[in-house]
Amino acid sequence: MEGAHDMGGVAWSGPVQPEPNEPMFHAEWERRAFALTLAMAMPGAWNIDMSRFARENRPPEDYLSKSYFQIWLAGLERQVLEGELVTPDEIEAGRPLHPAKPVARKLTAEGVARMLHRGGPTERDAASPARFARGDHVRAKMIHPPTHTRLPRYVRGHIGIIERVLGCHVFPDSNATGAGEDPQWLYTVTFDGDELWGNGSDPNLKVSVDAWEPYLERA
């Protein structure tokens, strides 16, 4: 979707300034927010792409005023409210006020290591041959979806070269809306810097993007 989260290549965002020796979590509540998000995927009946859409689908002033894990927590609050697992007054109070809702699955302490080890593989069997091959020139389509997509704005309309064919994977645009996995071929596409940002770009710059087949057309 078009949103404040899609900052890649925009002039107003400024350069990325990595924090030296940055810790994984800056505060204990961030660790808890991360753990809650993973744990609630078990009873919540939503998937990773739905979670991403819940985090990014916010007004720009709200999104940009929050830190990384504040956005995670806000997205989780939206999902548990929409799933009717909690009520608005419980979110406001920050604690249970009503009997717990029955759920089909729970993540127990004993199951955490197994879940983290298993992960969430996205590769699926292909229903049709790949349309593109390594070395093909492709153009990223100029799309403006109102829902979740993994195609960055800064590559849309630009020409790149297929660097790798990564197999067939869950299509996030479909999965995020609850319309099913709709597996699609996934490619690594490499773009030259001057193709993306003109002659003022570093001549040695190349940017690689993993892009699903529906995002691409032959150049």
Side-chain angles (χ1 to χ4, degrees):
M1 63 171 294
E2 309 285 317
H5 67 287
D6 193 355
M7 299 181 186
V10 297
W12 57 262
S13 68
V16 175
Q17 301 289 353
E19 179 182 340
N21 303 312
E22 183 178 8
M24 185 171 295
F25 303 103
H26 289 81
E28 183 60 28
W29 73 264
E30 294 184 341
R31 186 189 304 274
R32 290 175 61 83
F34 177 74
L36 281 169
T37 301
L38 294 185
M40 285 306 300
M42 187 74 75
W46 51 73
N47 58 57
I48 188 171
D49 297 306
M50 292 175 177
S51 289
R52 285 171 173 154
F53 186 42
R55 293 194 285 269
E56 69 192 29
N57 187 20
R58 320 192 67 79
E61 62 273 14
D62 179 51
Y63 187 94
L64 296 173
S65 69
K66 287 180 166 57
S67 68
Y68 182 76
F69 281 109
Q70 285 176 332
I71 293 170
W72 275 54
L73 188 57
L76 180 59
E77 289 177 351
R78 171 176 290 176
Q79 288 183 292
V80 295
L81 283 170
E82 291 177 349
E84 298 183 344
L85 296 175
V86 301
T87 56
D89 59 337
E90 289 177 309
I91 292 290
E92 183 67 25
R95 60 185 176 85
L97 299 175
H98 311 288
K101 302 291 180 68
V103 294
R105 300 183 304 165
K106 295 179 181 179
L107 180 62
T108 63
E110 295 75 21
V112 170
R114 183 170 61 254
M115 182 199 72
L116 293 176
H117 179 74
R118 182 178 67 247
T122 63
E123 192 160 9
R124 302 290 186 266
D125 293 335
S128 59
R131 182 181 175 193
F132 305 113
R134 189 174 185 273
D136 285 352
H137 286 71
V138 293
R139 178 182 287 103
K141 293 179 181 178
M142 185 62 76
I143 60 173
H144 303 282
T147 52
H148 180 66
T149 186
R150 302 289 285 175
L151 184 65
R153 268 181 297 185
Y154 69 89
V155 304
R156 297 176 196 174
H158 293 285
I159 295 174
I161 299 176
I162 300 290
E163 181 179 332
R164 293 188 300 166
V165 180
L166 300 173
C168 200
H169 291 257
V170 173
F171 187 41
D173 301 47
S174 174
N175 206 36
T177 65
E181 293 187 341
D182 189 22
Q184 302 286 341
W185 284 94
L186 181 65
Y187 307 88
T188 298
V189 185
T190 300
F191 300 85
D192 288 335
D194 58 0
E195 167 67 19
L196 298 177
W197 293 294
N199 295 333
S201 172
D202 181 342
N204 299 312
L205 178 65
K206 292 184 181 294
V207 176
S208 294
V209 171
D210 288 345
W212 277 260
E213 194 166 274
Y215 299 161
L216 305 172
E217 58 191 5
R218 199 170 298 279

